[in-house]
Amino acid sequence: MTAVVADSGAIGVLDLQGGVQEHLDHLQRIRIAGRSVKHAADLAGLAGLIIPGGESTCLSRLLDIFGLRAEIEAHYRQGLKLWGTCAGAILLARENVGEAPFFGLIDIAVSRNAFGSQLDSFQCEALAPTVAPEPIPLTFIRAPKIVGTGPDVQVLLSMQDYVAAAEDDRILVTVFHPELTPSLAFHRYFARKCGLHPAGDEKTALDPDWTPQSWIRFGPHV
Ligand code: GLN
């Protein structure tokens, strides 16, 4: 396996299933090089990897079929930072209530589909002061709830009876989808966690040029 080059400047997006292009689009908006990750070789030299939302059972099977599970774990041990959005957060959690955990790399417990069916998906806004000074728009799609966090985990966004965003030294998890909103705040936050320098001003985290379809213009290979 190729050793991680810490200053490569690129962030990968696991490209097996789910919201891949939307994340690549957001990375482009903050002038961070993004890379689709389908095979083990695509992990070489990345500073960070986003595991997108989608369907966690499907993603877990594809990770095994494509031989990426052990490769991601090995790169993580060598310093690769990870961000799991929604299904990605489920895969990274140490405990998945009532089910077997997958990577089990961050000390959180998640409860899948805790808001109900797809029809119970919703949008709202909340302030996550560590991430951005202004309220951030949040999109929850058949999301899990983070129902427990260990002592080494910092809560970034706490809602009524659950945690919506958290991190430890090397992993960020969000149960909502920043890539489906005009907010670039979490992408900037993760890029900085990876030691990179995203473009743009924290105070203007909403990109006025973003639309729900704007990622399409970047095509399948960014
Ligand atoms: N409900 C999905 C799961 O359990 C996650 C949904 C999402 O990623 N938006 O995997």
Side-chain angles (χ1 to χ4, degrees):
M1 194 189 69
T2 312
V4 171
V5 179
D7 62 352
S8 79
I11 291 180
V13 184
L14 182 70
D15 190 356
L16 300 179
Q17 188 263 332
V20 177
Q21 299 301 331
E22 296 90 334
H23 274 297
L24 291 170
D25 176 36
H26 261 44
L27 291 173
Q28 188 152 342
R29 288 171 189 278
I30 60 170
R31 308 278 185 272
I32 294 290
R35 184 193 303 165
S36 151
V37 172
K38 283 183 188 289
H39 305 286
D42 300 329
L43 290 165
L46 290 178
L49 176 71
I50 298 173
I51 303 179
E55 210 290 320
S56 53
T57 308
C58 177
L59 276 166
S60 68
R61 291 189 182 154
L62 290 171
L63 279 159
D64 281 333
I65 289 167
F66 280 70
L68 277 166
R69 181 184 191 152
E71 291 289 336
I72 290 172
E73 287 167 352
H75 280 270
Y76 165 76
R77 284 195 294 275
Q78 291 193 2
L80 179 71
K81 303 288 193 298
L82 300 172
W83 174 15
T85 50
C86 203
I90 294 169
L91 293 175
L92 290 168
R94 187 155 297 165
E95 185 184 343
N96 183 4
V97 175
E99 299 183 47
F102 188 73
F103 285 119
L105 292 175
I106 180 167
D107 193 7
I108 59 169
V110 295
S111 175
R112 273 180 84 190
N113 303 328
F115 296 93
S117 79
Q118 194 85 354
L119 292 174
D120 299 303
S121 300
F122 63 97
Q123 292 178 306
C124 63
E125 254 190 18
L127 190 61
T130 314
V131 177
E134 303 291 336
I136 298 171
L138 306 172
T139 297
F140 294 75
I141 303 174
R142 210 178 185 206
K145 289 182 179 179
I146 298 171
V147 293
T149 56
D152 296 330
V153 171
Q154 290 77 47
V155 171
L156 296 172
L157 179 55
S158 190
M159 307 293 272
Q160 297 85 352
D161 65 340
Y162 63 97
V163 168
E167 66 177 347
D168 66 14
D169 287 353
R170 294 188 287 166
I171 298 182
L172 172 66
V173 282
T174 57
V175 301
F176 47 86
H177 292 265
E179 78 284 6
L180 300 181
T181 76
S183 175
L184 304 174
F186 270 92
H187 288 76
R188 288 207 184 101
Y189 189 75
F190 182 61
R192 288 198 303 272
K193 192 175 180 74
C194 295
L196 306 178
H197 303 285
D201 179 1
E202 287 312 308
K203 295 192 184 64
T204 54
L206 296 183
D207 186 334
D209 295 331
W210 182 90
T211 73
Q213 288 82 33
S214 55
W215 56 271
I216 291 170
R217 72 193 163 93
F218 292 96
H221 296 292
V222 179

